[in-house]
Amino acid sequence: MNEFKLLLFYKVASEGNFSKAAEELLISQPAVSKQIQSIETELGIKLLDRDKTGVSMTPGGKILFEHSVQILSQYTKLRNDLSLLTEQLSGELTIGASTTIAQYVLPPLLAQFQRANPSIKITLINENTETIEALLQKNKISLGIIEGLPKSSTLKYTLFKKDELVLLTHKSSKYSRIESCSLEKLKQIDLVLREKGSGTLEVFENFLLQHKCNLKDFKVLIQLGSTESIKLFLKHTDAMGVISVHAMTESIANEEFRVIEIDEGRINRNFYFVHTKGTPDKLVKKFMSYIKNKIRM
């Protein structure tokens, strides 16, 4: 089975729909159906079932799908490595980045990298740390950049950049004149936090545990899926939020938000490159090296 057939099956199985796969691959729906039939004939097993809701995988289809993810990933790595023999970077990079990193740290760096390497196609997926790690383990992305704590024994973590979480409130909040706050006092104040699975929440919870506190003892008003949604929510409520300082630089500078010092100390954390164990393909290594050099400048 050639790469195109494998990609075609992967697209149909992923989308659960022949027409969507045809649109993505720029071929007709009958051509997709014909190729799927050809694959089933070649393998001697039925791979897909059709019904009114779309397409579902048979047990054989699920096995092929699992292998197709890994094989297509290897094809991408092969092309990337071969392109580097000529010192002309080309290929595809699919990067998964935690929300804060994807929104506030990576965009200018990606722009610089792509200007220097116009033949590289980059896809950036914005998810929380937990999801990024799951995508890596399924070989659905080339590289992750996360803000959570390293915890998977099957992944390799490399320091990317240092960060700090800050406790803050909007200038219109009744707490805006507070200079500092102990964790004990913070237990009586409404908190706006990130959702379960986010690296920001994980680091904050770890900070609390270091000081013999538990999140369940705090008044969590709401948990939201992005830093921007927390900022907007805080504008309209008397509450405090915990957010990366990278996301708040401009807002703090123009005095829209006030940072409240925590008596027990600062909440420092690291951003990490993360990939599956073993040597990453050369294009991933080049990207990591380029970005780290830019961070140092």
Side-chain angles (χ1 to χ4, degrees):
M1 187 189 310
N2 61 35
E3 182 187 1
F4 179 74
K5 282 187 175 181
L6 197 61
L7 176 62
L8 184 143
F9 169 77
Y10 171 81
K11 291 291 185 183
V12 173
S14 298
E15 296 290 349
N17 188 290
F18 276 77
S19 60
K20 287 183 179 179
E23 287 176 17
E24 286 194 41
L25 296 171
L26 302 176
I27 61 176
S28 68
Q29 186 172 332
V32 172
S33 299
K34 185 176 180 180
Q35 288 293 339
I36 292 295
Q37 290 172 4
S38 171
I39 297 169
E40 290 177 329
T41 300
E42 180 181 340
L43 297 178
I45 189 171
K46 189 173 184 181
L47 301 170
L48 300 170
D49 286 322
R50 294 198 204 198
D51 55 37
K52 292 181 180 179
T53 60
V55 175
S56 60
M57 287 181 277
T58 65
K62 290 178 181 178
I63 291 173
L64 180 59
F65 183 79
E66 290 175 5
H67 285 280
S68 70
V69 172
Q70 298 177 19
I71 294 168
L72 290 169
S73 173
Q74 288 301 315
Y75 270 120
T76 299
K77 288 182 179 181
L78 173 62
R79 280 192 294 271
N80 292 347
D81 285 353
L82 289 174
S83 75
L84 292 173
L85 292 176
T86 62
E87 293 300 320
Q88 295 178 348
L89 290 178
S90 64
E92 296 183 17
L93 268 178
T94 304
I95 300 168
S98 296
T99 306
T100 301
I101 299 169
Q103 290 182 340
Y104 303 102
V105 180
L106 269 189
L109 295 171
L110 288 178
Q112 293 174 58
F113 180 80
Q114 206 146 44
R115 275 200 304 270
N117 304 280
S119 296
I120 295 176
K121 178 184 177 183
I122 297 179
T123 301
L124 178 63
I125 297 173
N126 177 4
E127 293 286 357
N128 65 33
T129 294
E130 190 175 87
T131 303
I132 294 301
E133 291 180 326
L135 290 172
L136 274 171
Q137 290 166 333
K138 293 176 182 176
N139 290 311
K140 291 192 173 181
I141 58 176
S142 313
L143 176 70
I145 309 178
I146 63 167
E147 56 202 58
L149 301 170
K151 55 183 177 294
S152 174
S153 60
T154 63
L155 299 174
K156 182 176 181 181
Y157 300 82
T158 305
L159 180 65
F160 166 55
K161 186 178 177 64
K162 293 186 179 297
D163 184 37
E164 180 183 354
L165 299 183
V166 291
L167 177 70
L168 47 76
T169 193
H170 191 257
K171 65 180 181 181
S172 63
S173 164
K174 65 183 181 183
Y175 301 116
S176 63
R177 294 185 180 182
I178 295 177
E179 295 292 333
S180 65
C181 180
S182 68
L183 289 177
E184 196 59 37
K185 288 181 180 178
L186 189 60
K187 290 178 181 179
Q188 309 306 315
I189 298 172
D190 288 335
L191 278 178
V192 184
L193 302 174
R194 284 290 306 277
E195 82 289 359
K196 180 176 173 55
S198 95
T200 298
L201 180 65
E202 180 185 25
V203 171
F204 180 59
E205 285 187 288
N206 189 63
F207 175 80
L208 295 181
L209 290 173
Q210 288 174 7
H211 294 281
K212 297 180 171 53
C213 295
N214 195 299
L215 187 62
K216 65 181 178 58
D217 298 324
F218 289 77
K219 295 171 64 179
V220 180
L221 180 62
I222 191 170
Q223 291 179 262
L224 299 170
S226 73
T227 298
E228 283 303 308
S229 58
I230 291 178
K231 288 166 66 175
L232 288 170
F233 189 92
L234 288 175
K235 286 183 179 181
H236 303 282
T237 186
D238 285 322
M240 293 186 185
V242 177
I243 300 177
S244 165
V245 72
H246 278 96
M248 299 303 300
T249 305
E250 186 176 339
S251 297
I252 293 169
N254 64 25
E255 300 184 347
E256 184 181 8
F257 286 87
R258 288 286 311 279
V259 173
I260 313 299
E261 297 292 337
I262 299 176
D263 292 345
E264 284 75 5
R266 293 188 167 186
I267 311 176
N268 295 311
R269 68 169 176 180
N270 296 322
F271 294 151
Y272 293 95
F273 289 117
V274 56
H275 56 80
T276 52
K277 280 194 172 176
T279 305
D281 74 51
K282 291 181 180 179
L283 188 53
V284 170
K285 289 171 69 176
K286 285 280 187 180
F287 175 81
M288 290 169 61
S289 176
Y290 181 94
I291 297 301
K292 283 194 286 187
N293 286 335
K294 285 294 180 182
I295 293 278
R296 293 193 198 103
M297 291 172 64

